[in-house]
Amino acid sequence: MPRDDTASAPRSARTEKSGRRIESLLAVAREVFAEKGFERATTLEIAQRLGVSEATVFTYFGSKRELCLEVIRRWYDQISGEVERELPQINGLRAQLAFVVRKHLVNLMGEGAGICALVLSEGRTADAAFGGVIADLKRRYIAPFMHALAAARDAGELREGVPLRLLRDMVFGSMEHVLWDYVVSGKKPDIEETASQLTDLLWSAFVPADASLHALSQFRAEVGHALRRLDAAVPSSPPSPSSPLTPLTPRKASS
């Protein structure tokens, strides 16, 4: 008896259609959550913007919280992937620090204050389960930078005795103040200038306390070594009689 494939074709078509519907739903939900925040956003408005019934939203997501979580998860997947690919290609801790600071500010402020406020506020939610998921997403996002800090510590490039988690908090905590000020005031700072200023300030706390003295001492040693090599390379010779540095002995008068 020949196999009947008529059932599988519609199922495949439905799966593709569902996938497209979910992507469209998440795109619209991201816009609404960014504009309204979690509390003021409604699944009804999301459905109306998409041109479907509210019941359609709940066909794919069990609640507004679940929908919001998926929006944030997709956002973190995007930016985490970028950091995971790009940061390991950068040489030197200072350059890596500069990259992380600029990248984070661009990620949070690049799409406007709405998505910035959504991510910052939902990360502080009282919902323990939801907050736990956000914490896991943040850990993945920060992990490449933590690996860079650990490598720099092992190489002796970091100030001794300072826990890596404290350095992490200094970096992202200082940026969070900048981001909240942006959310509250609506005034977007110059990202390049702010990133440069923050990097300079943070770097001064990262380097060993005696880094400047050590660098100066090393420079003096290198200069002294170079001078000694130069002296050794130039053969010594007696001064010429015509040299202005050679004292002249007066001749005695003939009798």
Side-chain angles (χ1 to χ4, degrees), residues 202-216:
L202 291 166
W203 183 247
S204 65
F206 274 39
V207 295
D210 59 347
S212 297
L213 292 177
H214 176 72
L216 178 59

Side-chain angles (χ1 to χ4, degrees), residues 101-230:
V101 171
R102 182 186 179 280
K103 190 72 170 177
H104 191 62
L105 293 178
V106 169
N107 285 337
L108 271 293
M109 291 193 286
E111 297 185 43
I115 194 69
C116 179
L118 177 67
V119 173
L120 291 176
S121 61
E122 292 308 300
R124 296 182 174 185
T125 179
D127 185 330
F130 187 84
V133 173
I134 298 297
D136 289 340
L137 295 173
K138 286 182 176 180
R139 273 191 288 271
R140 178 194 167 188
Y141 176 59
I142 295 172
F145 183 56
M146 296 302 292
H147 292 325
L149 287 178
R153 177 192 59 193
D154 295 342
E157 299 175 9
L158 281 179
R159 185 185 297 268
E160 294 183 1
V162 181
L164 298 187
R165 65 178 184 278
L166 182 57
L167 297 176
R168 172 203 64 197
D169 292 344
M170 286 175 57
V171 173
F172 290 95
S174 62
M175 287 191 285
E176 186 168 332
H177 282 286
V178 173
L179 295 168
W180 272 119
D181 184 63
Y182 168 49
V183 170
V184 173
S185 68
K187 297 179 180 179
K188 186 175 181 178
D190 184 292
I191 292 179
E192 298 298 334
E193 181 181 6
T194 303
S196 177
Q197 291 172 343
L198 277 177
T199 299
D200 288 342
L201 289 172
L202 291 166
W203 183 247
S204 65
F206 274 39
V207 295
D210 59 347
S212 297
L213 292 177
H214 176 72
L216 178 59
S217 176
Q218 185 176 8
F219 175 72
R220 292 181 61 185
E222 291 173 353
V223 170
H225 179 66
L227 289 175
R228 287 192 295 272
R229 290 184 61 185
L230 181 62

